[in-house]
């Protein structure tokens, strides 16, 4: 044993000299050396955790209390946020592909989100009953208070103009009729009117937006929830439809699109803007991400959006991501609250660029252009 120890000592000295002589000032050399004692790299993370007793029932990397923790705290099974009684309904299958198999994704404030392994759509289960959710929407001042601010209007105008340009570049058949489903303050339609659309129509269930439609010329607004909307009033042969931050609110997207398709012209363009569950920000913030919220009943990815729109009879012209949330990401990675803003100019994570984020479809929102076949 002594001999081995001595040998080991010699080796250490030798290694030290070797490292020194090879010049650890060089970054790649240091990395090379550091990697040699990085268990994750040598064995693979899972194997390393398993063979070092970190992973497995009752062990520290499992998402449960270790025997020592159980001496410190009681797991009573009670959660801090309890769902209110009688207003929820179960969701037994994927709302888009009908698959009953699913995987748990994340929870936020007492609500649970699952993901369909088939089409990758996420969905709330349980969700608020459709008959009860409108009471909550009609008092949803949180959204109305955001979308009527000057700063929000300014960025939204640019965003909507961008969407209209995408529609034009991907072969808009005409500029006669446009429909905005969930038109909010009516801003997209105002931009569409400027863009040259002759007939602009909007629908929205939130009565708090009604005052935004007063004194607006040339745009028709309907204050109604989407599912009970009478289609005849809207007419047909639309050249373009938009759903900006709306698809995630729809309870039965297949049924809804089957209805809306009757209004869409062949070759018409559908513009969809929806939160991206696979955004880098959402992957990091998980249960702290505000996209996980009572009114979002579905959670989309580029794959699920493509699957869904093809199923509904559209050709996918473009799916990309927009809005990097780079500042939020920098805050979060600097141990600050993601929205606090104190570290958003931190250069530590400069290699995470908007280019990298969007190239990998990890922006905060999915933007899609679809053509009706
Ligand atoms: Zn599915």
């Amino acid at each position: 044993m002594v001999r081995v120890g001595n040998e080991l000592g010699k080796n250490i000295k030798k290694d030290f000299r070797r490292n020194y002589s090879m010049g650890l000032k060089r970054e790649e050399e240091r990395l090379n050396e550091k990697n040699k004692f990085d268990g994750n790299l040598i064995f693979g993370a899972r194997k390393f955790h398993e063979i070092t007793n970190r992973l497995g029932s009752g062990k520290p990397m499992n998402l449960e209390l270790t025997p020592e923790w159980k001496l410190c705290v009681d797991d009573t099974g009670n959660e801090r946020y309890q769902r209110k009684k009688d207003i929820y309904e179960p969701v037994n299958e994927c709302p888009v592909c009908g698959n009953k198999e699913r995987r748990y994704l994340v929870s936020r404030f007492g609500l649970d989100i699952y993901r369909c392994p088939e089409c990758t759509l996420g969905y709330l289960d349980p969700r608020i009953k459709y008959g009860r959710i409108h009471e909550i929407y009609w008092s949803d001042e949180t959204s109305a208070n955001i979308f009527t601010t000057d700063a929000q209007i300014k960025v939204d105008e640019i965003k909507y103009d961008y969407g209209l340009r995408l529609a034009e570049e991907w072969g808009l058949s005409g500029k006669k009729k446009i429909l905005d489903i969930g038109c909010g303050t009516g801003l997209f339609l105002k931009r569409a009117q400027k863009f040259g659309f002759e007939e602009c129509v909007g629908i929205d269930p939130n009565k708090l937006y009604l005052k935004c439609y007063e004194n607006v010329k040339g745009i028709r607004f309907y204050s109604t929830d989407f599912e009970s909307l009478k289609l005849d009033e809207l007419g047909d042969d639309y050249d373009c439809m938009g759903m900006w931050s709306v698809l995630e609110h729809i309870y039965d997207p297949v049924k809804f699109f089957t209805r809306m398709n009757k209004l869409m012209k062949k070759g018409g363009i559908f513009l969809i803007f929806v939160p991206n569950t696979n955004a880098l920000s959402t992957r990091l913030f998980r249960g702290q991400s505000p996209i996980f919220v009572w009114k979002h009943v579905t959670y989309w990815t580029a794959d699920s959006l493509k699957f869904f729109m093809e199923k509904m009879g559209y050709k996918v012209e473009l799916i990309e991501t927009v809005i990097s949330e780079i500042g939020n990401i920098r805050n979060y990675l600097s141990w600050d609250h993601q929205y606090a803003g104190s570290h958003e100019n931190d250069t530590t994570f400069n290699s995470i660029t908007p280019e990298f984020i969007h190239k990998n479809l990890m922006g905060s929102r999915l933007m899609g252009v679809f053509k009706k076949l």
Side-chain angles (χ1 to χ4, degrees):
M1 291 299 285
V2 172
R3 197 180 64 82
V4 172
N6 284 344
E7 285 295 310
L8 192 66
K10 275 182 198 167
N11 286 341
I12 288 168
K13 274 183 193 159
K14 200 174 140 200
D15 277 345
F16 178 74
R17 276 197 305 275
R18 186 176 62 86
N19 286 345
Y20 187 74
S21 65
M22 284 177 71
L24 281 183
K25 275 189 177 172
R26 291 177 57 214
E27 203 175 342
E28 60 267 41
E29 263 325 308
R30 288 203 303 280
L31 183 65
N32 199 20
E33 294 304 312
K34 278 183 276 192
N35 288 348
K36 290 179 185 167
F37 54 81
D38 189 324
N40 275 218
L41 294 175
I42 298 164
F43 299 100
R46 189 183 172 90
K47 190 177 172 195
F48 180 65
H49 300 145
E50 277 171 353
I51 61 176
T52 55
N53 270 329
R54 289 177 165 92
L55 205 61
S57 184
K59 291 172 185 166
M61 280 190 171
N62 252 36
L63 297 176
E64 60 184 17
L65 299 177
T66 61
E68 297 80 6
W69 264 102
K70 284 179 185 170
L71 298 174
C72 307
V73 297
D74 285 317
D75 184 354
T76 65
N78 289 327
E79 290 177 15
R80 183 171 163 196
Y81 301 100
Q82 297 288 328
R83 288 191 282 266
K84 291 197 183 291
K85 295 217 182 317
D86 305 325
I87 65 164
Y88 286 87
E89 62 183 19
V91 181
N92 299 317
E93 56 181 43
C94 170
V96 159
C97 79
N99 185 14
K100 288 188 163 47
E101 194 197 336
R102 65 190 194 170
R103 289 179 197 141
Y104 169 75
L105 189 66
V106 71
S107 295
R108 185 160 182 253
F109 298 144
L111 299 183
D112 302 328
I113 290 100
Y114 295 84
R115 181 180 262 185
C116 168
E118 195 63 37
C119 74
T120 76
L121 184 84
Y123 57 93
L124 268 185
D125 179 34
R127 65 186 176 191
I128 296 172
K129 289 177 188 170
Y130 188 71
R132 302 296 297 270
I133 202 161
H134 294 100
E135 302 161 15
I136 311 173
Y137 269 125
W138 285 333
S139 56
D140 183 12
E141 289 189 35
T142 310
S143 295
N145 288 343
I146 292 169
F147 293 109
T148 49
T149 62
D150 289 344
Q152 187 63 44
I153 289 170
K154 197 174 173 182
V155 293
D156 279 346
E157 278 183 347
I158 300 167
K159 182 179 82 182
Y160 293 144
D161 289 351
Y162 174 73
L164 290 162
R165 290 208 315 274
L166 290 182
E168 188 157 61
E169 277 172 39
W170 264 275
L172 201 56
S173 54
K175 289 186 181 177
K176 204 164 181 308
K177 291 175 82 177
I178 188 164
L179 176 67
D180 189 13
I181 301 157
C183 59
T185 61
L187 194 59
F188 175 59
L189 292 171
K190 287 178 195 165
R191 301 311 295 180
Q193 202 177 29
K194 272 204 165 72
F195 197 71
F197 274 97
E198 291 168 33
E199 206 180 329
C200 304
V201 183
I203 51 176
D204 201 283
N206 193 333
K207 289 182 171 39
L208 291 167
Y209 290 125
L210 276 172
K211 59 180 177 292
C212 303
Y213 310 144
E214 291 164 8
N215 308 316
V216 176
K217 288 198 179 87
I219 300 177
R220 250 162 54 220
F221 292 105
Y222 294 90
S223 182
T224 169
D225 65 280
F226 310 133
E227 278 86 346
S228 59
L229 176 77
K230 289 188 181 62
L231 297 186
D232 295 348
E233 291 181 44
L234 298 176
D236 54 9
D237 262 352
Y238 279 89
D239 299 292
C240 188
M241 292 191 194
M243 279 178 102
W244 298 85
S245 306
V246 171
L247 182 57
E248 66 273 27
H249 299 254
I250 303 291
Y251 272 56
D252 188 340
V254 175
K255 196 172 154 193
F256 183 76
F257 265 72
T258 306
R259 289 187 76 208
M260 299 318 287
N261 275 350
K262 290 173 190 153
L263 312 186
M264 183 68 114
K265 196 174 172 178
K266 195 180 171 198
I269 296 281
F270 219 124
L271 288 173
I272 293 182
F273 177 88
V274 68
N276 177 16
T277 314
N278 280 345
L280 180 58
S281 54
T282 309
R283 290 172 193 236
L284 288 170
F285 312 156
R286 295 196 176 199
Q288 289 181 32
S289 171
I291 79 158
F292 301 115
V293 61
W294 55 271
K295 54 188 170 180
H296 293 174
V297 289
T298 52
Y299 295 88
W300 297 81
T301 60
D303 285 338
S304 51
L305 191 58
K306 177 179 184 290
F307 172 82
F308 172 66
M309 290 307 281
E310 284 177 349
K311 178 179 168 138
M312 299 321 298
Y314 287 81
K315 177 173 177 262
V316 178
E317 297 287 1
L318 172 74
I319 295 180
E320 60 168 6
T321 67
V322 295
I323 306 172
S324 71
E325 292 207 43
I326 192 88
N328 300 338
I329 290 166
R330 284 179 180 157
N331 288 327
Y332 187 81
L333 291 175
S334 303
W335 287 105
D336 199 354
H337 188 278
Q338 59 266 37
Y339 303 123
S342 60
H343 286 77
E344 61 193 275
N345 297 317
D346 195 320
T347 55
T348 314
F349 295 100
N350 265 4
S351 55
I352 304 175
T353 60
E355 186 193 10
F356 162 79
I357 288 172
H358 295 311
K359 217 170 155 179
N360 291 286
L361 290 176
M362 294 200 297
S364 167
R365 296 292 186 271
L366 290 162
M367 178 79 232
V369 182
F370 308 92
K371 188 177 277 174
K372 182 81 176 67
L373 294 170

